Amino acid sequence: MNTVSVCFVCLGNICRSPTAEGVMRRLVDEAKLADRILLDSAGTGDWHIGAAPDERARDAARQRGYALDALRGRQITVADFERFDLLIAMDDRNVAALRQLCPPAQRDKIRLLMEFVPESDGRWSGAREVVDPYFGGAEGFELVLDQCEAACRGLLAALRPQLLA
Ligand code: 4NP
């Protein structure tokens, strides 16, 4: 039975990547694929190692029924490029940081989350990056959730054929 492992990556691992992990986990659970699609998240920075997700991210997620409270920040390591099939970054800065750390043979594993938004979803056409909400207000966290919900639906659809292969 095939499995696929995915690590979502942002800067601090307290706002965007835990949100993506929480959104994707619910979609995977609903699809009864929790034993086939393995999920994690990490940050490229080291400021929030061991920290719970940002309270604003947890509050916004909870309103939509996602539980982020048990997640804890960690920093990406070179071993993650072996462990995971896909390292899915929230923005171009995260992609650049991942490429610096990544063994050359694993570079194809690095992707941008917003690449997975279905073309039919006009709201996000042309959006490359998940917006960094850290220095903004509560509305930024709603936007992050909207973006993660759109992209994770597309990601699940993209992973299904790999599970059957
Ligand atoms: P994240 O957001 O990368 O989505 O977790 C940030 C979290 C912390 C900082 C910046 C962005 N920071 O500068 O500490």
Side-chain angles (χ1 to χ4, degrees):
M1 212 164 61
N2 286 341
T3 61
V4 181
S5 54
V6 176
C7 186
F8 297 101
V9 180
C10 63
L11 188 58
N13 193 210
I14 55 168
C15 300
R16 292 165 293 174
S17 62
T19 299
E21 181 183 350
V23 167
M24 188 65 183
R25 192 169 300 285
R26 190 164 87 195
L27 288 174
V28 165
D29 285 347
E30 285 169 1
K32 304 203 182 320
L33 290 170
D35 56 342
R36 310 285 300 280
I37 300 178
L38 311 177
L39 301 173
D40 196 4
S41 64
T44 57
D46 63 1
W47 310 285
H48 302 288
I49 293 170
D54 188 286
E55 194 174 358
R56 298 165 296 170
R58 283 186 280 145
D59 287 348
R62 195 178 305 111
Q63 296 282 328
R64 299 195 196 189
Y66 304 110
L68 308 187
D69 303 287
L71 300 178
R72 292 294 176 266
R74 74 176 185 91
Q75 189 176 27
I76 197 89
T77 72
V78 72
D80 289 314
F81 294 97
E82 281 294 332
R83 278 178 59 206
F84 292 97
D85 298 308
L86 286 172
L87 293 104
I88 301 185
M90 300 297 124
D91 64 29
D92 286 318
R93 181 176 171 191
N94 310 144
V95 169
L98 286 172
R99 285 178 68 86
Q100 285 234 318
L101 188 66
C102 181
Q106 317 272 25
R107 284 218 171 133
D108 290 348
K109 293 182 173 183
I110 302 171
R111 307 286 294 271
L112 272 171
L113 182 63
M114 292 304 280
E115 279 174 39
F116 293 95
V117 176
E119 278 179 24
S120 58
D121 191 336
R123 181 173 177 199
W124 302 113
S125 61
R128 273 183 72 75
E129 301 189 329
V130 179
V131 289
D132 184 344
Y134 187 68
F135 293 106
E139 70 287 350
F141 290 85
E142 297 300 330
L143 203 55
V144 168
L145 279 161
D146 291 345
Q147 290 189 297
C148 288
E149 286 176 344
C152 287
R153 271 195 294 275
L155 175 60
L156 180 59
L159 295 181
R160 280 183 187 276
Q162 294 186 45
L163 298 176
L164 299 172

